[in-house]
Amino acid sequence: MQSLKIYNTLTREKEVFQPLHPTHVGLYVCGPTVYNYVHLGNVRTFLTFDVLVRYLRHIGYQVRYVRNLTDVGHLTGDSDEGEDKIGRMARLEKLEPMEIVHRYTDDFHQVLSKFNFLPPSIEPTATGHIVEQIEAVKALIEKGLAYESNGSVYFDIEKYNQNGQDYGKLSGRILEDLLSETRDLDGVGEKRNPLDFALWKKAAPDHLMRWPSPWGLGFPGWHLECTCMSTKYLGTQFDIHGGGMDLKFPHHECEIAQGTGLNGVSPVKYWMHSNMLTVNGQKMSKSLGNSFLPNELFAGSHHLLEQPYSPMTTRFFMLQSQYRSTLDFSNEALKAAQKGYKRLLNGLRLLREMEYVADESVSIDPKQVEEIEKAIAGAYDGMNDDLNTAVTIANLFTLLKKINQLYMGQSQFAQLGAEVFEKLKATYLTFFLDILGLKEERNEAFEPLVNGLLDLYRDFKTQKQYDKVDQIRSVFKQNGLVIKDLKQRIDWAYEE
Ligand SMILES: [Zn+2]
């Protein structure tokens, strides 16, 4: 098995990945709050963990991948203040909260399937686990780590730390600093300490989503669902917890406190966080007008875009950076990614129709064999180095060069030998399709047209009507394609 290293936010080090059970991996990823269309920053986060799941399975692990849907409890202030995000949308649109949840859950699933994401093994919802959350609150009160106050229940940070724990250890925050920057608007006077966070909130009479509890009508705090659902499906301790960088604090910090408080063990072995997207160097945000929805990208309808970009171009674009680095979105970068993806895709097409040609008069060329072996190892080294897909892709391009040489007859199959050729083919296909999760995007209306033009090109050429030959060439060029005469067999490829 390959030795995978991942960067653990908790220890701030790259560590060799060793799951709690030798063959199985438990992975929990914080899913979206389904009150709005999923934006591109979220897509990047889910892409990181899609590739992680794909790679873990490729190297032989059985993965249980749990990704939740938050459908209650996430407040507009992202902590204990404000209105429920879903309740707010329901009020504004005069719909039932569950209509909001269904609308945006459907959108989320549709968008993710366009990007070729694997579905999680379990996709639990917060409203589906109210009973578990009430039980967890009761247990934390019994352990003296939570207290009721005016119908709400709060986690007691001071008690937790007195028990030898360290609230803030994940995000590297120091309690005193946190205290000085805390602005506690809602729940003033209810909390013993401004840092305490809500496990259960009392519902105001006009609050749409509420459930009976030992503390009266209310709803669970945002952080609690992830603790309850990860424990239920993955156990009190599991291997990997992932999410966007913005969830490190307070959300994941609170998950550690809740899980440790409930079960006496730190819940997660490896914490992984995916970095943010920027647009032309600026933070992506709705107020700056530079926040993209995936559908705007596919349609090219955003004012910052010159043209549409397909889901696979976008996927490829994001994979060109390692998930922990920031990724800057721009027209130029997307255009370059479109070219790169098409070149790589062309390699896949060529490989699929390529058969090994034996030739006993040709001997094996150790230099070429070494180049290929090195690139194959390099593709794995990239993935093993904390999912550095940028390095993996660079090595696939080295393999692509060899594929093109074979296709053009600049290099002979027998110089590689059958075994090395088959290894090259299998590696390229596996990385492209299974690990990076790219797929062939064929515009079906487009293919017959291109092939028809090629037939005309051939005829005009035979008839020596060179002005028409040039016309067809220029149509191709305008569409980023080139015509190749490959030993009289006329073919086309994406321009490089
Ligand atoms: Zn979560």
Side-chain angles (χ1 to χ4, degrees):
M1 200 178 271
Q2 297 279 330
S3 161
L4 167 66
K5 276 189 177 172
I6 54 184
Y7 181 85
N8 189 351
T9 313
L10 193 60
T11 58
R12 291 154 186 79
E13 267 173 42
K14 263 187 216 171
E15 297 175 16
V16 174
F17 176 65
Q18 281 174 322
L20 297 163
H21 303 280
T23 53
H24 288 63
V25 175
L27 166 67
Y28 187 92
V29 175
C30 290
T33 302
V34 278
Y35 74 106
N36 211 333
Y37 295 112
V38 61
H39 69 80
L40 227 45
N42 292 136
V43 172
R44 187 187 189 198
T45 299
F46 300 125
L47 174 62
T48 299
F49 298 102
D50 183 62
V51 171
L52 175 66
V53 169
R54 287 168 177 277
Y55 190 61
L56 287 169
R57 287 183 180 152
H58 172 72
I59 59 178
Y61 290 112
Q62 287 206 45
V63 183
R64 181 179 289 169
Y65 173 23
V66 182
R67 188 185 67 210
N68 72 306
L69 292 167
T70 295
D71 57 356
V72 70
H74 192 175
L75 304 185
T76 48
D78 286 329
S79 68
D80 297 339
E81 65 210 46
E83 200 175 342
D84 185 287
K85 291 190 179 194
I86 285 151
R88 181 173 174 275
M89 283 303 271
R91 181 172 61 75
L92 291 175
E93 301 205 20
K94 297 193 169 49
L95 293 172
E96 278 291 318
M98 283 303 122
E99 283 181 282
I100 297 292
V101 166
H102 274 276
R103 175 190 293 174
Y104 295 111
T105 300
D106 285 349
D107 170 74
F108 176 66
H109 287 152
Q110 273 174 24
V111 167
L112 260 56
S113 92
K114 281 184 191 159
F115 281 113
N116 202 29
F117 284 26
L118 298 173
S121 325
I122 305 175
E123 194 171 46
T125 61
T127 57
H129 298 75
I130 298 292
V131 173
E132 287 83 349
Q133 295 181 80
I134 291 176
E135 288 306 311
V137 179
K138 286 203 282 199
L140 286 169
I141 292 175
E142 270 165 37
K143 287 173 192 284
L145 289 169
Y147 56 90
E148 194 233 316
S149 178
N150 189 30
S152 293
V153 181
Y154 295 97
F155 190 93
D156 192 330
I157 299 285
E158 210 176 298
K159 275 275 175 60
Y160 176 69
N161 275 5
Q162 280 167 4
N163 291 352
Q165 299 300 337
D166 179 12
Y167 183 79
K169 68 177 174 180
L170 178 70
S171 51
R173 311 244 178 155
I174 297 166
L175 221 54
E176 287 71 35
D177 295 349
L178 283 172
L179 268 173
S180 65
E181 59 190 55
T182 302
R183 46 180 189 104
D184 187 41
L185 305 174
D186 209 1
V188 171
E190 285 184 1
K191 294 181 183 179
R192 289 179 188 166
N193 182 317
L195 284 180
D196 294 350
F197 58 89
L199 298 167
W200 187 263
K201 287 279 280 182
K202 180 185 181 174
D206 61 344
H207 198 95
L208 291 169
M209 285 183 284
R210 52 199 175 144
W211 290 263
S213 78
W215 318 284
L217 284 175
F219 58 94
W222 172 37
H223 316 304
L224 191 58
E225 58 172 287
C226 288
T227 293
C228 292
M229 298 190 286
S230 60
T231 308
K232 178 163 180 166
Y233 300 112
L234 298 172
T236 52
Q237 263 192 312
F238 58 96
D239 299 298
I240 306 172
H241 192 313
M245 202 84 111
D246 52 335
L247 294 182
K248 236 193 286 183
F249 187 87
H251 187 58
H252 290 160
E253 201 74 70
C254 295
E255 276 190 52
I256 293 179
Q258 292 165 159
T260 309
L262 280 167
N263 304 309
V265 283
S266 198
V268 177
K269 200 166 171 193
Y270 305 91
W271 283 90
M272 290 175 76
H273 292 96
S274 186
N275 211 329
M276 305 283 120
L277 277 185
T278 55
V279 180
N280 299 319
Q282 274 185 310
K283 188 178 182 264
M284 189 184 267
S285 91
K286 268 191 200 136
S287 57
L288 291 173
N290 66 358
S291 143
F292 289 89
L293 293 178
N295 285 327
E296 290 175 320
L297 198 69
F298 306 156
S301 60
H302 193 280
H303 69 97
L304 289 173
L305 296 175
E306 284 168 15
Q307 60 168 90
Y309 295 98
S310 75
M312 284 306 110
T313 293
T314 313
R315 186 174 173 114
F316 179 78
F317 166 71
M318 291 184 177
L319 290 172
Q320 282 178 306
S321 308
Q322 203 249 3
Y323 73 94
R324 280 197 298 124
S325 51
T326 55
L327 172 59
D328 192 49
F329 230 76
S330 69
N331 243 306
E332 286 60 45
L334 277 164
K335 247 189 222 167
Q338 187 176 41
K339 269 194 176 169
Y341 161 66
K342 283 180 174 173
R343 282 175 59 200
L344 218 54
L345 175 63
N346 210 35
L348 179 87
R349 289 174 177 163
L350 296 180
L351 259 189
R352 275 181 172 156
E353 59 183 71
M354 244 182 222
E355 295 281 349
Y356 182 76
V357 184
D359 184 346
E360 282 179 10
S361 68
V362 175
S363 52
I364 288 188
D365 176 1
K367 196 170 157 264
Q368 289 193 49
V369 168
E370 199 196 318
E371 272 169 20
I372 292 173
E373 297 282 7
K374 225 177 118 188
I376 291 174
Y380 277 101
D381 290 346
M383 294 305 293
N384 289 334
D385 184 16
D386 194 27
L387 304 185
N388 197 336
T389 45
V391 169
T392 297
I393 288 173
N395 281 285
L396 291 186
F397 274 108
T398 305
L399 295 180
L400 173 68
K401 214 159 125 191
K402 189 52 64 186
I403 294 163
N404 286 334
Q405 285 171 356
L406 288 168
Y407 190 71
M408 304 290 278
Q410 292 162 350
S411 182
Q412 287 171 281
F413 290 91
Q415 291 178 308
L416 308 182
E419 202 183 313
V420 172
F421 172 71
E422 292 307 332
K423 196 172 162 190
L424 159 71
K425 187 170 177 174
T427 305
Y428 195 90
L429 294 179
T430 303
F431 270 89
F432 189 98
L433 299 168
D434 301 336
I435 297 174
L436 298 179
L438 295 165
K439 64 177 182 183
E440 195 160 0
E441 271 173 342
R442 264 184 193 279
N443 186 339
E444 279 169 19
F446 178 72
E447 292 272 322
L449 203 70
V450 171
N451 290 330
L453 274 174
L454 281 182
D455 287 342
L456 279 176
Y457 175 86
R458 189 180 289 115
D459 293 346
F460 288 139
K461 222 177 160 191
T462 322
Q463 295 156 16
K464 298 194 165 45
Q465 298 195 46
Y466 292 117
D467 54 329
K468 295 211 165 101
V469 165
D470 285 344
Q471 268 179 24
I472 296 179
R473 271 191 190 280
S474 77
V475 170
F476 266 72
K477 201 161 168 50
Q478 281 161 20
N479 288 285
L481 307 174
V482 285
I483 298 175
K484 290 184 171 177
D485 291 62
L486 303 158
K487 301 170 198 156
Q488 273 92 51
R489 196 193 128 190
I490 296 173
D491 205 343
W492 61 278
Y494 292 99
E495 208 173 8
E496 287 182 22

